[in-house]
Amino acid sequence: MSRAISILITFLLLFTIESCLDNENTVRYTDVIQMEAGPVPDTMVVNETYSIQFRMGVPNSCWHSLALNQEEFNDSTYRFWATAVYENHGENCAQVVETKDTVIAFKPTLAKPHILVFFNDPASDPRVDTVVVTPN
């Protein structure tokens, strides 16, 4: 009986080690990617909805799950950036540009200047637009 248990334990140990070795070449991380934000008007009206267009892009097929992120920093400052997941299991990535277009609805609720910060390119300074929001 103890020989059968020893063989079973050895088999399970070898199986566990083998499954760990299968992923030794795996790379997976989420990073900020390049995006372009469309133009925004110079002035807006409180409680009216405006569309802002975005295009995100990645350089090869190892990237996926492109997503637009936004954060309300305070009551009149908003930040926008794009992220994607890079995943590679040791294979070659096809050199094709993957893109995703997104449109968001932006509705200012306060009659005061709003600052929209667009992190278009992770390697450069963000684009900052100031929009004057007027009452109805």
Side-chain angles (χ1 to χ4, degrees):
M1 186 72 161
S2 69
R3 180 169 164 88
I5 292 175
S6 295
I7 291 173
L8 180 62
I9 291 174
T10 303
F11 175 75
L12 289 175
L13 184 62
L14 289 174
F15 181 75
T16 303
I17 291 172
E18 172 63 25
S19 66
C20 291
L21 293 176
D22 285 343
N23 294 325
E24 71 179 23
N25 290 330
T26 298
V27 176
R28 181 183 165 94
Y29 61 90
T30 301
D31 206 355
V32 176
I33 61 167
Q34 195 167 24
M35 75 164 194
E36 289 296 324
V40 293
D42 293 334
T43 60
M44 294 181 180
V45 177
V46 168
N47 294 324
E48 285 195 18
T49 303
Y50 298 87
S51 296
I52 303 176
Q53 299 175 351
F54 295 88
R55 172 168 280 178
M56 300 159 270
V58 291
N60 61 53
S61 64
C62 286
W63 291 91
H64 62 86
S65 302
L66 284 71
L68 178 67
N69 302 278
Q70 65 185 57
E71 172 187 43
E72 184 175 339
F73 184 66
N74 59 37
D75 64 2
S76 61
T77 303
Y78 300 85
R79 298 176 180 169
F80 302 91
W81 70 97
T83 57
V85 175
Y86 179 87
E87 188 169 7
N88 186 292
H89 303 280
E91 72 276 5
N92 288 328
C93 302
Q95 297 303 309
V96 294
V97 175
E98 302 282 337
T99 61
K100 179 179 179 183
D101 294 330
T102 300
V103 177
I104 65 158
F106 182 76
K107 185 176 181 179
T109 57
L110 298 173
K112 65 185 215 177
H114 282 54
I115 299 170
L116 306 179
V117 182
F118 302 101
F119 294 92
N120 290 335
D121 186 346
S124 64
D125 292 333
R127 177 184 125 196
V128 179
D129 289 348
T130 302
V131 178
V132 177
V133 180
T134 60
N136 300 352

